Amino acid sequence: MPRLQLPEPAELYKTTPPKFGHPMHKLFPFDPEYVNLNHGSYGSLPLLVLSSCNTLSEVAEANPDLFNRLTYQPLLVDTDECVLVQNTSLGLNVILRNIEWEKEDTIVIFNTTYGSTYRTAHNLGDIPPYPTVSQFTLLFPTTRGEIIDRFRDHLRSLPKTGKRVAIIDTIISNPGIHLPWEEMTEVCRQEGVWSVLDAAHSIGQEVNINLSESKPDFWVSNCHKWLFTKRSCAVLYVPERNQHIIKTSIPTSHTYISPKDRTGPNFVEQFEWNGTIDFVPFLSVAAALDFRKWVGGEEVINAYCHSLAMKGGKRLAEVMGTRQLDPEGAFTLNMVNVELPFPAEIQPTIEIDLMFKNKLLVSYKAYSAHFYHNGRWWTRCSAQIWNEVEDFEKLGRIYLSVCAEIVKELGYSELKL
């Protein structure tokens, strides 16, 4: 599909956008041979947003001092409770490493917690004063009600002698599952547990988010994944009631004021400048929102992506002769999980992970996330506005070849796929 010779965004936005599906390819800088069903990992930048970013970069490079000292900060929107950071992992570290831990405290993680966050919790447990790390196990398939009930029971089983802090995914990375995080946040509030929400996949995929109603203690979401901003950009939300906990940005800003010397808020200003980075991704949020509005808006975009995830996941399972993890869609937004035709007896290793990546990306020019969960191999496919069911069919045929090749190369040909 040839790309459009794009006019200025203001002029193009007066026209009718392409239809969802493959006609949308012309609005993205993809390799035309690449089957992209992994938008959820790194996001995808529309050409129109890229053009706006390039213009901002040229302004910055024309006079770096003027841009960084005077121009950049006035472009930010004033807010009391939200700041921009480079990614969700950094935002979560800002939260977790500002908490004044004590030996009697407990950090609750899940077996499905994102890798770096999982390790961050364990790192905190490995250094003085050695808070306890408690793992809550989630295995799918299950039900939303069972998750809530078991989560409540787990929190009630913890010692109440110190702080209890639960790190909760709004949408798990692998498997790509939408958790009942509002209800789980309410459980935390009822049980006196701080809720730290890893919402890396939420903005742009989950509509009608209202943090004033759900009232998490902390919440972080990437903008470069599903919102179409430039990498990397994330929103860190800290309600005013908890800003005294976040004493410093990471790294510490030159606007930091010692808590003993503060006469007012010092949260937002610390994140306006805490070292030289490329600020263009932060400033690309407005361009991304303009693009999304032009192609249909949040409800229309996500209705298409969700419908395609369900249809595409079903078709992918048919092609591979396997099954969906969530066939009824109780946990599915725009990412769908389908079992791979790969022997369950083969345990995950770095070697196998690299074999999948090399074959999919280099040999077959296609990709979706692959992972091991509850004794089975799965793939997580991200449905986006440029995808069609045909992409899932292509990916299914590719996985049939890739899985057979890896099994043979590992010398496990006697195992049943």
Side-chain angles (χ1 to χ4, degrees), residues 139-400:
L139 296 176
F140 294 91
T142 184
T143 65
R144 298 176 77 84
E146 183 179 0
I147 291 173
I148 295 166
D149 290 342
R150 290 184 54 244
F151 181 63
R152 180 184 293 107
D153 291 343
H154 185 82
L155 296 185
R156 289 178 174 175
S157 72
L158 301 175
K160 296 179 174 59
T161 52
K163 292 187 295 294
R164 294 167 296 161
V165 179
I167 304 171
I168 304 168
D169 286 308
T170 59
I171 303 171
I172 300 171
S173 179
N174 289 319
I177 291 290
H178 179 221
L179 286 178
W181 63 269
E182 292 99 335
E183 294 90 337
M184 297 169 77
T185 300
E186 176 60 25
V187 169
C188 286
R189 186 160 49 252
Q190 293 171 355
E191 299 300 324
V193 176
W194 290 1
S195 55
V196 177
L197 278 293
D198 180 345
H201 287 272
S202 282
I203 290 183
Q205 181 177 190
E206 189 173 7
V207 298
N208 300 320
I209 299 170
N210 190 327
L211 300 181
S212 296
E213 290 184 358
S214 55
K215 294 182 173 60
D217 289 305
F218 306 94
W219 185 93
V220 198
S221 184
N222 285 319
C223 298
H224 59 261
K225 285 184 180 288
W226 293 89
L227 196 67
F228 293 147
T229 71
K230 183 176 175 63
R231 285 175 226 102
S232 55
C233 175
V235 174
L236 166 61
Y237 165 78
V238 180
E240 289 183 359
R241 68 179 187 274
N242 289 331
Q243 288 180 10
H244 66 283
I245 298 170
I246 309 301
K247 298 176 179 62
T248 178
S249 59
I250 297 179
T252 298
S253 170
H254 68 93
T255 62
Y256 170 82
I257 300 173
S258 176
K260 63 182 174 59
D261 297 327
R262 293 178 189 176
T263 58
N266 188 225
F267 171 66
V268 172
E269 61 185 325
Q270 289 195 61
F271 290 87
E272 291 177 352
W273 186 277
N274 52 20
T276 301
I277 60 170
D278 182 3
F279 291 104
V280 169
F282 292 3
L283 300 176
S284 71
V285 172
L289 293 175
D290 287 342
F291 176 81
R292 294 175 71 80
K293 181 179 179 180
W294 177 56
V295 299
E298 300 304 311
E299 297 284 351
V300 173
I301 290 171
N302 284 285
Y304 177 84
C305 294
H306 173 71
S307 175
L308 180 60
M310 296 304 299
K311 293 176 184 176
K314 180 180 179 181
R315 184 66 186 123
L316 177 60
E318 291 171 349
V319 171
M320 296 193 298
T322 60
R323 57 174 175 150
Q324 293 175 256
L325 182 63
D326 177 35
E328 302 303 319
F331 295 98
T332 301
L333 291 181
N334 304 341
M335 296 191 290
V336 63
N337 307 280
V338 180
E339 187 175 357
L340 288 173
F342 198 75
E345 297 88 341
I346 300 179
Q347 297 294 302
T349 64
I350 294 175
E351 176 191 12
I352 293 174
D353 179 62
L354 288 174
M355 293 175 79
F356 270 111
K357 289 175 180 175
N358 276 300
K359 288 181 180 296
L360 288 166
L361 289 167
V362 179
S363 301
Y364 290 94
K365 294 189 175 181
Y367 200 74
S368 65
H370 45 87
F371 59 96
Y372 192 81
H373 176 77
N374 201 10
R376 295 287 188 273
W377 286 89
W378 304 85
T379 182
R380 182 204 74 194
C381 297
S382 302
Q384 256 302 348
I385 57 175
W386 61 75
N387 290 125
E388 297 180 3
V389 171
E390 177 187 338
D391 297 324
F392 290 83
E393 294 173 338
K394 288 182 180 178
L395 185 70
R397 293 191 291 271
I398 289 170
Y399 265 122
L400 287 172

